[in-house]
């Protein structure tokens, strides 16, 4: 498991560097666009299109980073319900960790499914040789990048599932009185 966690951390570091690089590139292009439009009084035709694609790629790789860090937005309506019906702290912890496992399973399946759909779409774009309108850039680059980011989200979630399951098993033992 240590090797898999090391791979996970290495992937995260790569994702983070890539996300920062694409964000910096997007900001630089935005600066160029403003400079050319308002100072030189000439528009750069390619700048808006390139920023759009960089924004999409940056967003999805940022989502992969957030998945690794477990920093995605969550809605914790279950916490309020559980606190009202279960007064025993051990029971509450077991329910929380069990729902954590369930959330990780659902989100991992979701990311794999959406990543597969995006991969097929990118392959279709590649087979039909679709290009962007201004830069004439192959659009499948963006499709495969988004697909890769979604699969990275699935991988990070899968490892989160193993960690959640470990906590759930421990909480179940405590709840049944098996010690800490």
């Amino acid at each position: 498991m240590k090797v898999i966690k090391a791979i996970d951390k290495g992937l995260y570091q790569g994702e983070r560097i890539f996300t920062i690089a694409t964000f910096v590139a997007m900001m630089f292009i935005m600066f160029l666009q403003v400079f050319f439009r308002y100072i030189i009084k000439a528009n750069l035709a390619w700048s808006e299109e390139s920023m759009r694609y960089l924004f999409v790629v940056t967003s999805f790789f940022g989502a992969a980073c957030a998945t690794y860090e477990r920093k995605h937005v969550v809605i914790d309506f279950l916490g309020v319900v559980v606190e009202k019906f279960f007064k025993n702290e051990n029971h509450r912890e077991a329910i929380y960790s069990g729902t954590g496992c369930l959330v990780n399973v659902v989100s991992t399946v979701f990311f794999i499914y959406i990543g597969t759909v995006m991969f097929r779409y990118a392959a279709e774009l590649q087979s039909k040789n679709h290009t962007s309108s201004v830069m004439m850039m192959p659009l499948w680059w963006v499709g495969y990048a988004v697909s890769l980011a979604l699969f990275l989200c699935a991988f990070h979630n899968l490892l989160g599932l193993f960690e959640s399951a470990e906590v759930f098993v421990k909480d179940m033992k405590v709840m049944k009185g098996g010690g800490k």
Side-chain angles (χ1 to χ4, degrees):
M1 194 67 168
K2 285 183 180 183
V3 173
I4 294 174
K5 284 187 179 186
I7 291 169
D8 191 35
K9 188 173 183 177
L11 286 171
Y12 165 71
Q13 293 298 335
E15 293 161 17
R16 194 165 171 253
I17 290 168
F18 183 75
T19 302
I20 291 169
T22 55
F23 184 77
V24 167
M26 188 173 57
M27 296 308 292
F28 179 71
I29 292 169
M30 186 182 301
F31 171 77
L32 281 177
Q33 182 180 23
V34 169
F35 179 77
F36 272 82
R37 181 174 289 163
Y38 294 108
I39 308 272
I40 299 180
K41 305 284 188 208
N43 286 336
L44 298 174
W46 56 270
S47 62
E48 188 174 331
E49 190 174 89
S50 63
M51 281 187 3
R52 183 180 317 125
Y53 299 136
L54 283 170
F55 178 75
V56 168
V57 170
T58 301
S59 298
F60 278 92
F61 274 89
C65 290
T67 304
Y68 172 84
E69 296 172 351
R70 311 284 184 255
K71 299 252 175 132
H72 274 297
V73 174
V74 295
I75 300 171
D76 191 18
F77 67 93
L78 186 63
V80 175
V81 173
V82 167
E83 285 181 13
K84 287 185 179 182
F85 290 106
F86 295 95
K87 301 299 180 197
N88 185 323
E89 183 69 28
N90 293 336
H91 290 168
R92 281 191 283 200
E93 291 300 320
I95 290 171
Y96 288 145
S97 59
T99 56
C101 290
L102 181 63
V103 166
N104 279 320
V105 167
V106 170
S107 56
T108 300
V109 169
F110 172 78
F111 283 131
I112 290 171
Y113 174 73
I114 296 299
T116 304
V117 168
M118 193 64 204
F119 186 85
R120 286 189 200 133
Y121 179 66
E124 185 178 325
L125 289 174
Q126 186 178 13
S127 71
K128 293 180 179 178
N129 202 22
H130 280 270
T131 57
S132 64
S133 57
V134 176
M135 297 182 347
M136 301 308 287
M137 178 188 94
L139 288 177
W140 55 266
W141 289 1
V142 177
Y144 284 132
V146 169
S147 180
L148 174 62
L150 289 166
F151 287 132
L152 287 168
C153 287
F155 181 72
H156 295 316
N157 251 345
L158 186 62
L159 291 182
L161 172 62
F162 292 137
E163 291 171 8
S164 301
E166 220 174 282
V167 171
F168 179 64
V169 168
K170 184 186 90 176
D171 288 344
M172 290 302 290
K173 286 180 183 175
V174 169
M175 187 179 84
K176 291 180 180 177
K180 294 193 181 207

